[in-house]
């Protein structure tokens, strides 16, 4: 089964997913601990998060399952401090989990694909309605 992370550009504070999850918990239902949707506030933020260097890191994590950020840096042939900064940013947005692995942190992705929903035209969050 393919696990998909849905990403959408949404400038409003749409909390319906959170509210649905809380309602399910209140009803005693089990819920997926990982949200399947990431809302990004604007296209500029989306571009920063999903820039080519970060996409390369996500692919390397999924393909090689490195034991540490240092190993990930070797895989992508970049300096460890730069990779650490990028992986920390990805973790802050929930795109990467950092599991304790002795003294190291092991980067892990829980999804197999990313589905992106980018509104255009008058529905775009970057354009104010007339």
């Amino acid at each position: 089964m393919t696990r998909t992370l849905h990403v959408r550009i949404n400038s409003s504070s749409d909390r319906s997913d959170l509210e649905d999850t809380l309602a399910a918990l209140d009803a005693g239902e089990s819920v997926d601990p990982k949200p399947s949707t990431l809302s990004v506030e604007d296209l500029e933020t989306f571009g920063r998060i999903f820039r080519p260097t970060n996409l390369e890191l996500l692919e390397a994590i999924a393909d090689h399952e490195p034991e540490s950020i240092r190993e990930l840096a070797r895989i992508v042939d970049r300096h460890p401090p730069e990779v650490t900064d990028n992986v920390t940013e990805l973790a802050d947005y929930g795109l990467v989990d950092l599991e304790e692995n002795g003294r190291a942190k092991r980067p892990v992705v829980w999804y197999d694909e990313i589905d992106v929903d980018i509104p255009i035209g008058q529905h775009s969050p970057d354009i104010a309605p007339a």
Side-chain angles (χ1 to χ4, degrees):
M1 180 177 170
T2 301
R3 297 165 298 175
T4 303
L5 172 65
H6 300 279
V7 178
R8 65 178 171 208
I9 310 296
N10 186 359
S11 63
S12 67
S13 58
D14 177 10
R15 299 171 56 92
S16 60
D17 290 343
L18 175 60
E19 291 168 6
D20 291 346
T21 300
L22 292 174
L25 287 171
D26 288 342
E29 299 172 13
S30 64
V31 295
D32 188 354
K34 290 287 179 200
S36 61
T37 301
L38 169 66
S39 290
V40 178
E41 52 272 7
D42 55 39
L43 286 171
E44 182 179 338
T45 303
F46 175 84
R48 188 181 75 246
I49 297 168
F50 291 100
R51 63 187 174 270
T53 53
N54 282 352
L55 290 174
E56 177 187 29
L57 292 175
L58 291 173
E59 287 182 352
I61 293 166
D63 290 344
H64 300 282
E65 300 180 356
E67 293 297 317
S68 67
I69 294 175
R70 183 171 295 283
E71 182 181 343
L72 175 61
R74 279 194 297 275
I75 291 167
V76 296
D77 194 27
R78 292 180 45 209
H79 296 290
E82 294 171 7
V83 173
T84 298
D85 289 345
N86 293 138
V87 169
T88 299
E89 178 183 36
L90 292 169
D92 288 346
Y93 278 96
L95 293 164
V96 171
D97 287 335
L98 293 174
E99 297 178 350
E100 295 294 327
N101 186 17
R103 291 181 30 205
K105 291 187 178 179
R106 180 175 182 254
V108 177
V109 295
W110 56 268
Y111 47 87
D112 303 308
E113 66 182 18
I114 298 172
D115 177 51
V116 180
D117 179 18
I118 301 176
I120 58 172
Q122 63 180 324
H123 301 288
S124 174
D126 290 338
I127 300 173

